[in-house]
């Protein structure tokens, strides 16, 4: 099932028509939108970038969320992932929102720590999801509590919920992909192999091991140079992969040293992020109130389709794609749009040619 899963790269090659429209200067709809239904979270992960994203919180009511999903479908968005600066299972509207988005023709996905995920809702939830990803950065109970900022008992509940998700998927033969994600800081090295083994035991489809992003001032104190010494460990973890279970490190980011090859940010028109406060901004790196010059609007105050059509939306997109913005120094490291930015930089700034769309489609094509 995982042979055509892209976990370290992007999928714009399967959306060349939208890239071509963008190159012509057209105002395109995002392909993928990452958002949360709330800024609240029941965990306090030591690596959390959400703590750096404080902004004015608005009420994300059911009406606001449904209007947003209506607008996304109407303008041509293809996929919505409830993954951003909050834990969407804290919202009472999560299950309704997933079902409604799916009914509107959107591919839906959820990233969660899993603790508040209701086991009695899994039969209802899983058929509407393209993927369900559990954010879990340790494979041992005590270290889980320490790293994830929760009580040790949370580990037991989350593992039981993961097992139930796998059982529902198998029983009903659902196409949903169930995975684990580890945010790797160098000091978590002792948890790489225990987590890789745990994923296999749980029966999930994959474990992806990713870098930890930091802001431009290094508040989280991530030492990217220490990742290089972990190459052997990560390869040992990947060697635990089987035909049914993939362990994959995001090598291109982990081994990048935290640097970028591009200065302009071209990615947000294709994959934009919304805060759990309702804030529309190019990306999560720019949610904090100190970046208000890049803030576009709020879906709790104005319909998303009107925000997207507004001159303000495109003024901000043009600003971050101009010489007035330098992604190497003015925002955080190795962002969501990083791989998309590398591709678009090569095409737009370096004269690279768009590749023909490959014949075989990848999994989760619309989550670029």
């Amino acid at each position: 099932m995982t042979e055509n899963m892209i976990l370290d790269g992007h999928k714009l090659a399967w959306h060349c028509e939208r890239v071509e429209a963008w190159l012509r200067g057209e105002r395109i709809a995002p392909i993928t939108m990452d958002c949360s239904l709330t800024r609240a979270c029941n965990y306090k992960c030591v690596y959390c970038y959400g703590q750096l994203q404080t902004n004015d919180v608005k009420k994300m009511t059911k009406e606001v969320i449904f209007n947003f999903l209506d607008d996304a479908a109407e303008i041509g968005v293809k996929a919505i992932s409830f993954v951003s600066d909050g834990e969407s299972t804290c919202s009472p509207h999560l299950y309704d929102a997933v079902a409604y988005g799916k009914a509107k023709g959107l591919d839906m996905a959820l990233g969660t720590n899993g603790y508040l995920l209701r086991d009695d809702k899994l039969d209802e939830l899983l058929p509407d999801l393209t993927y369900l990803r559990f954010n879990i950065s340790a494979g041992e109970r005590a270290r889980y509590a320490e790293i994830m900022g929760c009580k040790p008992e949370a580990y037991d509940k989350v593992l039981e919920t993961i097992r139930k998700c796998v059982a529902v998927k198998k029983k009903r033969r659902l196409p949903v992909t169930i995975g684990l994600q580890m945010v790797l800081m160098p000091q978590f090295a002792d948890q790489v192999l225990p987590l890789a083994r745990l994923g296999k035991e749980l029966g999930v489809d994959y474990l992806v091991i990713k870098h930890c992003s930091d802001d431009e001032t290094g508040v989280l104190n991530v030492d990217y140079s220490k990742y290089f010494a972990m190459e052997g460990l990560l390869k040992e973890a990947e060697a635990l992969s089987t035909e049914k279970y993939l362990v994959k490190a995001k090598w291109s980011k982990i081994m990048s040293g935290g640097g970028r090859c591009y200065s302009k940010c071209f990615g947000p028109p294709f994959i934009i992020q919304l805060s759990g406060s309702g804030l529309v901004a190019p990306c999560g790196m720019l949610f904090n109130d100190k970046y208000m010059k890049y803030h576009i609007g709020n879906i709790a105050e104005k319909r998303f389709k009107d925000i997207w059509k507004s001159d303000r939306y495109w003024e901000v997109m043009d600003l971050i794609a101009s010489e007035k913005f330098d992604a190497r120094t003015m925002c955080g490291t190795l962002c969501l749009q990083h791989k998309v930015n590398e591709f678009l930089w090569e095409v737009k700034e370096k004269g690279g040619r768009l590749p023909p769309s490959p014949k075989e489609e990848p999994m989760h094509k619309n989550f670029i």
Side-chain angles (χ1 to χ4, degrees):
M1 179 173 180
T2 58
E3 63 274 4
N4 61 344
M5 183 182 294
I6 298 174
L7 294 174
D8 185 20
H10 65 88
K11 308 181 190 82
L12 275 186
W14 288 270
H15 299 278
C16 285
E17 75 292 337
R18 206 160 294 195
V19 179
E20 290 166 349
W22 173 76
L23 289 170
R24 292 192 299 268
E26 297 179 21
R27 293 184 169 188
I28 63 167
I31 299 166
T32 308
M33 297 187 69
D34 271 22
C35 56
S36 182
L37 301 179
T38 177
R39 286 208 75 244
C41 187
N42 54 318
Y43 278 25
K44 293 183 179 179
C45 301
V46 299
Y47 53 80
C48 180
Y49 202 96
Q51 65 183 293
L52 311 179
Q53 297 171 311
T54 303
N55 60 83
D56 187 22
V57 176
K58 304 296 182 185
K59 184 69 172 177
M60 293 283 279
T61 64
K62 185 174 181 178
E63 180 183 10
V64 167
I65 296 164
F66 277 30
N67 284 343
F68 162 68
L69 294 169
D70 282 335
D71 292 348
E74 180 181 328
I75 70 172
V77 175
K78 297 184 178 183
I80 301 286
S81 53
F82 290 139
V83 181
S84 188
D85 58 342
E87 172 56 51
S88 287
T89 58
C90 291
S91 168
H93 310 302
L94 169 65
Y95 304 99
D96 288 339
V98 171
Y100 190 78
K102 180 67 172 179
K104 298 297 294 188
L106 296 162
D107 288 349
M108 302 299 296
L110 172 65
T112 175
N113 59 45
Y115 182 73
L116 295 177
L117 200 60
R118 291 176 51 181
D119 294 350
D120 64 324
K121 288 282 190 177
L122 297 180
D123 268 300
E124 169 190 326
L125 177 70
L126 291 175
D128 289 333
L129 291 175
T130 298
Y131 72 79
L132 171 60
R133 189 184 72 215
F134 290 88
N135 301 317
I136 175 171
S137 294
E140 296 172 333
R141 194 173 189 264
R143 287 287 277 148
Y144 177 92
E146 179 184 355
I147 292 169
M148 305 290 284
C150 60
K151 295 180 180 179
E153 304 86 73
Y155 175 83
D156 306 321
K157 191 279 174 184
V158 170
L159 263 57
E160 183 60 23
T161 295
I162 295 172
R163 291 188 180 98
K164 288 179 178 178
C165 287
V166 171
V168 170
K169 171 183 172 169
K170 290 181 177 179
K171 181 180 179 180
R172 299 185 58 184
R173 298 183 180 180
L174 299 174
V176 61
T177 306
I178 300 172
L180 310 180
Q181 174 177 274
M182 178 185 199
V183 177
L184 176 64
M185 296 185 83
Q187 57 267 38
F188 304 163
D190 64 303
Q191 291 304 296
V192 171
L193 291 177
L195 184 55
R197 296 185 185 107
L198 177 63
K200 180 182 288 189
E201 185 268 320
L202 291 171
V204 298
D205 297 305
Y206 71 87
L207 163 67
V208 61
I209 304 169
K210 62 169 287 186
H211 63 291
C212 180
S213 293
D214 207 343
D215 78 350
E216 68 271 26
T217 63
V219 167
L220 296 180
N221 197 31
V222 182
D223 186 346
Y224 290 100
S225 67
K226 291 185 177 180
Y227 281 131
F228 298 115
M230 302 175 70
E231 181 177 358
L233 175 65
L234 293 173
K235 288 183 176 179
E236 186 177 353
E238 288 189 333
L240 294 171
S241 298
T242 67
E243 290 184 359
K244 296 182 178 180
Y245 172 60
L246 175 66
V247 180
K248 178 64 179 177
K250 288 196 171 187
W251 291 106
S252 66
K253 290 186 176 181
I254 290 173
M255 296 298 173
S256 70
R260 289 179 164 101
C261 67
Y262 53 89
S263 58
K264 300 174 183 177
C265 184
F266 295 141
F270 297 88
I271 177 170
I272 192 173
Q273 289 171 279
L274 273 64
S275 171
S277 69
L279 172 70
V280 180
C283 69
M285 301 291 187
L286 301 175
F287 284 164
N288 193 289
D289 282 339
K290 67 181 180 179
Y291 304 113
M292 288 187 71
K293 66 184 292 185
Y294 306 110
H295 293 178
I296 301 168
N298 193 297
I299 62 171
E301 300 173 332
K302 187 175 182 180
R303 294 286 295 253
F304 177 72
K305 63 182 177 182
D306 296 324
I307 293 173
W308 173 73
K309 291 175 183 176
S310 70
D311 289 339
R312 173 62 181 170
Y313 184 99
W314 295 101
E315 286 169 1
V316 172
M317 295 301 174
D318 289 344
L319 173 59
I320 61 174
S322 73
E323 299 290 348
K324 296 179 181 179
F325 184 83
D326 190 340
R328 296 168 296 189
T329 59
M330 296 173 70
C331 60
T333 57
L334 302 176
C335 61
L336 174 72
Q337 293 85 357
H338 179 67
K339 299 306 293 184
V340 168
N341 268 325
E342 287 183 333
F343 174 79
L344 295 172
W345 176 262
E346 183 66 25
V347 171
K348 189 172 177 66
E349 294 291 308
K350 300 298 183 181
R353 301 183 66 178
L354 286 176
S357 295
K359 292 182 179 180
E360 185 177 2
E361 290 191 354
M363 298 179 69
H364 315 158
K365 180 183 74 170
N366 291 330
F367 296 91
I368 62 169

